Amino acid sequence: MTHPPHLDPALPSAPVQLRYALLINPFYPKDPNASFGKHVLTPTLALTSFAATTPAHWDIRYWDENLLDGRPPFAPIPEVVGITVHLTFAKRAFDLAHWYRSRGSKVVLGGLHVLSCPEECAPHADALAVGDGVQLWPRILADVEAGSLRPKYAATYESDYRSDPAPRRSVLPRQSFLTTTSLIATRGCHNRCGFCYLATDGLRMPYRMRDPAQVVAEFAADRQPYAVFVDNNLGSNRPYLRALCQALQPLHKIWSAAVSIDVTDDPDLIRHMALAGCTGVFVGFESLTDENLADARKKTPKAADYARRVRILHDHGIQVNGSFVLGFDHDRKDAFVRTADWIEHNRLECATFHILTPYPATPLFHQMEAENRLLHRDWSLYDTAHAVFRPKHMSPEELEEGYAWLYQRLFSHPSIWRRRPEDWRAVPPYLAMSYLYKRSNRFWRFLIQHHLVHAVWQPLVELTRLRHVRFRKQLAAKGTAAYPAPNVVAAGV
Ligand code: B12
Ligand code: SF4
């Protein structure tokens, strides 16, 4: 889980197959502190979203190096290789690009890192796709066919989102993911936190929404009981979320999504989410210190009100995976223990930790650069598991130690036990899920390598869905939230 397969330059070259495009999600090392399971929960839509626009006379193949299937395919050599690039795996993406280019492929690079650092990516590609691949990919392939590929293509995120085709999920290896149904209903967020990639210089991403009917049709077509919404913030537009929930309800399926905690301003909306099958939310609390939230320019309720809001979600059977960022300027060494205590006290079923990371071309990056606090620009360590800047009230080493300690504490037996649901009936499935998700990294590696992820999780997920359908009936009938919370699959990414 830490080293990619070797790209042997001496391997004999195969002939180039015209009108064959290979799409690659490059390898990235997994943080051993966190769960390996999260990497096979649901696939990124970076590649499948625009794969759907590939003309019918092109063959298309999908390759995710994180599924541990060895070296990516090289016989025959694809005419075009499309690679998605994030800063943490940029080096691997460039190595792959070099390997395929030396064998005769045209390499197209796209994704977040191409958007924020195009100059760095350009020397490694025949063409850069800056921005929305759904608009660019058909143009790029047409130019390849015409022999007139240009070095750079650019598109904004301002087109009518409803005209995008459904992602091409048929190219995904279904056995390798807990669910292949990554859904995306919206793009953007009503916030623009200074550390978020949405605040990247020059990126305009107004909040765009697909028709609820389109989303429902995709969910139904993929024939999975559980979907993960990969939206930045599914709760940014509350009337839209309500309409989406109404459309999802008749499916009798379950799903999880990322929302900001202000969505609990409207408890009736939370009820609609539960009735529609929401079993878990991924919430970016970021910090329990208001000054940090203000510095990050996050429009959010006061931290003192977070606990009440978590209860609203729990009361509706919705598990909470809290995301916390450590290393803000008002964090002192007590931040780690305070955060762990708060999570346990409020019985968050799951928590995800991130060391504050200044992504290039964001306001946070400019600030750190101006204050001369960046330690280096080795992007592979900009993975939110390493301190890449000088924190104000502790050393980078102390920040990294505190981060690792938080995972150890929250994944420990006593902590899992302390956070068990209050209703005893929900405890056994909670424990089963917690141990599988948080304490089984060796097991995960085995499942991934043997393509067993889906097979092992499917019965648990289906069981959760059945329990949730019963729970919803009670919730609808009684109109109150005093019900045992059904156990759920991991609450989002
Ligand atoms: C699903 C997901 C995951 C999954 C799968 C990741 C994977 N790489 O396989 C899991 C859970 C494993 C994961 C893990 C992590 N993730 Co993640 N993840 C996401 C999430 C929620 C959705 C991605 C997605 O499907 N987006 C929708 C697609 C359609 O958008 P897109 O990727 O921008 O692609 C479009 C364009 O960029 C372009 N495009 C992209 N690639 C290409 C290639 C070509 C050839 C072309 C033509 C076009 C093109 O076309 C697409 C359509 O418009 C995003 C948040 C988000 N909503 O985007 C975070 C996000 C990508 N993750 C992030 C992070 C930080 C991580 C972690 C490091 C967190 C951690 N500490 O564990 C890890 C490590 C993974 C890693 N190194 O990539 C950050 C990245 C920030 C940054 N600047 O790099 C994001 C943006 C979240 C955030 N708000 O901070 N993640
Ligand atoms: S609320 Fe979340 S998705 Fe929205 S800008 Fe802030 S960090 Fe990004």
Side-chain angles (χ1 to χ4, degrees):
M1 304 296 277
T2 48
H3 294 290
H6 178 53
L7 299 173
D8 188 350
L11 274 174
S13 211
V16 172
Q17 183 184 321
L18 295 181
R19 313 298 176 252
Y20 162 33
L22 174 66
L23 301 180
I24 305 184
N25 187 29
F27 181 90
Y28 52 86
K30 313 296 175 295
D31 176 5
N33 291 305
S35 170
F36 288 171
K38 87 180 226 180
H39 301 283
V40 282
L41 173 64
T42 198
T44 166
L45 288 175
L47 299 165
T48 45
S49 57
F50 68 80
T53 65
T54 311
H57 59 281
W58 278 79
D59 283 338
I60 193 132
R61 186 164 179 197
Y62 180 91
W63 190 264
D64 186 341
E65 288 204 293
N66 301 289
L67 301 179
L68 311 181
D69 286 325
R71 209 171 21 228
F74 62 97
I77 286 291
E79 183 176 15
V80 174
V81 177
I83 306 177
T84 187
V85 192
H86 290 189
L87 77 170
T88 51
F89 51 72
K91 165 84 173 60
R92 176 64 180 176
F94 299 157
D95 288 349
L96 286 162
H98 175 76
W99 199 63
Y100 280 106
R101 287 177 93 189
S102 68
R103 288 173 153 66
S105 299
K106 297 274 180 234
V107 169
V108 183
L109 298 182
L112 305 182
H113 194 57
V114 174
L115 187 81
S116 45
C117 298
E119 300 79 22
E120 181 191 316
C121 299
H124 304 281
D126 295 287
L128 290 188
V130 183
D132 183 10
V134 175
Q135 294 170 63
L136 297 176
W137 185 242
R139 273 196 254 157
I140 291 170
L141 293 187
D143 284 356
V144 168
E145 286 185 39
S148 57
L149 186 66
R150 285 181 285 126
K152 186 171 170 182
Y153 295 78
T156 66
Y157 287 98
E158 292 166 308
S159 61
D160 179 4
Y161 202 20
R162 287 167 304 184
S163 59
D164 277 14
R168 191 145 154 188
R169 297 188 178 84
S170 57
V171 296
L172 294 167
R174 284 176 84 82
Q175 293 311 318
S176 300
F177 295 99
L178 186 145
T179 176
T180 43
T181 320
S182 326
L183 292 174
I184 189 159
T186 66
R187 292 216 77 170
C189 174
H190 66 294
N191 266 306
R192 278 291 178 279
C193 306
F195 60 83
C196 181
Y197 85 101
L198 287 178
T200 301
D201 294 343
L203 172 62
R204 266 192 51 76
M205 200 184 271
Y207 201 68
R208 294 181 307 156
M209 293 149 276
R210 287 166 66 75
D211 281 338
Q214 293 177 312
V215 180
V216 168
E218 282 183 32
F219 199 168
D222 208 34
R223 290 175 288 104
Q224 304 263 0
Y226 170 58
V228 179
F229 280 93
V230 299
D231 303 50
N232 295 116
N233 187 349
L234 193 63
S236 266
N237 180 319
R238 292 188 204 148
Y240 175 78
L241 178 54
R242 188 177 285 269
L244 181 65
C245 288
Q246 273 157 1
L248 287 169
Q249 193 168 340
L251 283 183
H252 298 300
K253 298 199 183 209
I254 52 173
W255 50 274
S256 58
V259 291
S260 43
I261 192 66
D262 52 2
V263 75
T264 51
D265 285 353
D266 181 357
D268 186 57
L269 177 56
I270 305 302
R271 184 167 180 274
H272 272 83
M273 288 167 68
L275 289 171
C278 179
T279 54
V281 286
F282 180 86
V283 177
F285 292 104
E286 326 302 4
S287 176
L288 300 173
T289 303
D290 289 333
E291 291 84 351
N292 286 335
L293 297 166
D295 281 2
R297 282 182 262 151
K298 181 156 184 153
K299 292 181 229 120
T300 184
K302 295 278 179 227
D305 197 28
Y306 280 177
R308 182 186 66 85
R309 291 169 180 269
V310 167
R311 266 197 309 280
I312 296 176
L313 292 160
H314 279 165
D315 285 349
H316 289 87
I318 297 177
Q319 285 198 352
V320 180
N321 180 352
S323 171
F324 297 87
V325 177
L326 283 311
F328 281 116
D329 280 357
H330 296 276
D331 280 344
R332 294 168 194 277
K333 285 183 219 162
D334 66 343
F336 308 106
V337 175
R338 271 201 314 124
T339 306
D341 287 348
W342 188 89
I343 292 168
E344 288 180 358
H345 184 74
N346 291 291
R347 296 184 181 228
L348 262 57
E349 292 78 359
C350 198
T352 309
F353 304 105
H354 305 276
I355 292 179
L356 182 66
T357 299
Y359 297 137
T362 59
L364 179 67
F365 189 88
H366 297 317
Q367 180 204 330
M368 292 288 178
E369 202 174 31
E371 294 172 5
N372 203 17
R373 291 167 66 189
L374 292 175
L375 296 174
H376 55 73
R377 287 169 198 239
D378 177 353
W379 304 136
S380 67
L381 299 178
Y382 278 56
D383 60 356
T384 78
H386 294 88
V388 299
F389 71 101
R390 246 182 300 279
K392 272 241 162 95
H393 299 296
M394 60 188 107
S395 67
E397 294 74 24
E398 284 167 333
L399 179 52
E400 288 186 356
E401 281 160 20
Y403 163 84
W405 176 86
L406 266 169
Y407 267 120
Q408 277 154 23
R409 164 134 169 211
L410 267 291
F411 282 17
S412 70
H413 302 292
S415 180
I416 291 176
W417 180 245
R418 277 196 283 273
R419 289 180 286 121
R420 69 194 179 281
E422 282 176 26
D423 188 288
W424 62 268
R425 282 166 293 186
V427 172
Y430 157 82
L431 289 177
M433 287 288 186
S434 291
Y435 276 90
L436 265 177
Y437 192 68
K438 295 169 192 157
R439 295 195 59 99
S440 313
N441 272 352
R442 251 188 264 154
F443 183 52
W444 277 111
R445 183 205 301 262
F446 177 85
L447 294 185
I448 296 167
Q449 275 173 335
H450 294 86
H451 308 118
L452 290 170
V453 171
H454 187 75
V456 166
W457 278 92
Q458 177 72 10
L460 287 171
V461 175
E462 182 54 20
L463 208 64
T464 304
R465 189 189 71 80
L466 290 172
R467 284 167 55 87
H468 199 263
V469 168
R470 275 202 306 276
F471 167 75
R472 270 179 250 179
K473 276 195 192 136
Q474 294 170 330
L475 186 62
K478 294 189 186 166
T480 154
Y483 300 92
N487 180 62
V488 297
V489 281
V493 295

